């Protein structure tokens, strides 16, 4: 009987050899799968809105009666644009109506009077002033920095400062600034009566300084200087002696000098209280 000459494939022979007695197959460990990390959901705290504090004589915000919505805020912003571009004297109800393409009846639905509008415009600008946390230990530095920031802010808005003359601004943003000032000064230990008077004096000094910088009338200062230098020396010797220093320095430098005088006087009250 003839023998089979078929040969097994190499793979089969290898399988038989691995499966032969005495040879253990290799152990393959299953891969370790880490469970996914699930982050807990972030829960934002509820936002609590503080009620708006406004003078009781201000007209409260009302819904618009027009197809195209009109708001008190839009009216105030349009009024500020007129002041910035054309000055306070240009701010009339008629001019504002032209800017907003509306009539006076619509404006008076949102604004009680022109004086009320003026106070709202001024207060809107006060909202641009950024204030740090009160630090009574550095009260002189903080009050000086705040005064310079407010001085520069008012200068950016043409003759807006005229809106604060003759009455006490009482809008919510103005009250925020006043509260910050009082917190710094009272925290430094300055007596309450002194704090009250200082606030009044500082406001007047600030308004007058800004008004002089934004309302230039009369002949140019160069012409005034020439006139002063031509004065008879026998009658005006002291004024002539001051001429090298009297007509120099910027408005901001002069404002800073006056501010230093006010703060030094306030420090004297603190030292002797």
């Amino acid at each position: 009987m003839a023998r089979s000459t078929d040969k097994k494939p190499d793979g089969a022979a290898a399988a038989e050899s691995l499966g032969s007695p005495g040879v253990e197959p290799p152990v393959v460990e299953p891969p370790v799968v880490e469970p996914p990390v699930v982050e807990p959901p972030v829960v934002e705290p509820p936002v609590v809105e503080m009620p708006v504090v406004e003078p009781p004589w201000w007209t409260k915000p009302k819904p618009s009666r027009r197809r195209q919505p009109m708001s008190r805020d839009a009216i105030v912003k349009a009024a500020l644009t007129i002041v910035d571009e054309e000055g306070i004297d240009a701010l009339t109800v008629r001019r504002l109506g032209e800017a907003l393409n509306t009539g006076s009846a619509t404006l008076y639905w949102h604004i009680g009077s022109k004086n009320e509008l003026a106070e709202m415009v001024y207060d809107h600008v006060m909202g641009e002033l950024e204030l740090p946390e009160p630090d009574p230990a550095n009260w002189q530095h903080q009050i000086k920095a705040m005064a310079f920031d407010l001085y520069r802010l008012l200068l950016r808005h043409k003759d807006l400062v005229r809106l604060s003359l003759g009455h006490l601004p009482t809008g919510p943003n103005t009250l925020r600034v006043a509260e910050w000032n009082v917190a710094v000064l009272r925290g430094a230990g300055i007596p309450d009566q002194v704090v009250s008077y200082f606030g009044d004096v500082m406001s007047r000094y600030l308004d007058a300084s800004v008004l002089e910088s934004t309302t230039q009338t009369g002949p140019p200062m160069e012409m005034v200087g020439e006139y002063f230098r031509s004065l008879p020396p026998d009658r005006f010797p002291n004024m002539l002696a001051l001429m090298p220093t009297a007509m120099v320095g910027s408005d901001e430098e002069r404002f800073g000098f006056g501010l230093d005088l006010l703060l030094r006087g306030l420090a004297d009250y603190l030292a002797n209280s």
Side-chain angles (χ1 to χ4, degrees), residues 210-268:
V210 175
L211 186 63
E212 182 151 337
S213 296
T214 56
T215 309
Q216 297 291 341
T217 60
M221 291 305 296
E222 294 79 7
M223 185 179 297
V224 175
E226 289 292 334
Y227 168 63
F228 282 170
R229 282 186 287 270
S230 69
L231 293 173
D234 57 329
R235 296 176 57 187
F236 302 97
N238 293 298
M239 287 192 61
L240 288 171
L242 280 181
M243 287 312 300
T245 57
M247 309 298 290
V248 299
S250 66
D251 287 346
E252 187 163 302
E253 289 172 337
R254 292 171 181 270
F255 175 75
F257 175 77
L259 188 58
D260 283 340
L261 291 181
L262 290 174
L263 292 176
R264 289 181 185 182
L266 194 57
D268 185 65

Side-chain angles (χ1 to χ4, degrees), residues 93-144:
V93 174
R94 180 178 179 180
R95 177 69 185 86
L96 187 57
E98 292 174 354
L100 292 170
N101 192 27
T102 190
S104 59
T106 300
L107 296 177
Y108 283 124
W109 173 255
H110 297 277
I111 304 294
S113 65
K114 182 180 176 181
N115 288 337
E116 181 181 306
L117 173 63
E119 187 170 358
M120 289 179 177
V121 171
Y122 184 87
D123 191 71
H124 180 80
V125 172
M126 290 299 101
E128 299 177 23
L129 185 66
E130 297 182 3
L131 297 170
E133 284 297 317
D135 182 12
N138 296 309
W139 68 270
Q140 291 195 58
H141 171 75
Q142 281 206 319
I143 294 297
K144 186 173 183 177

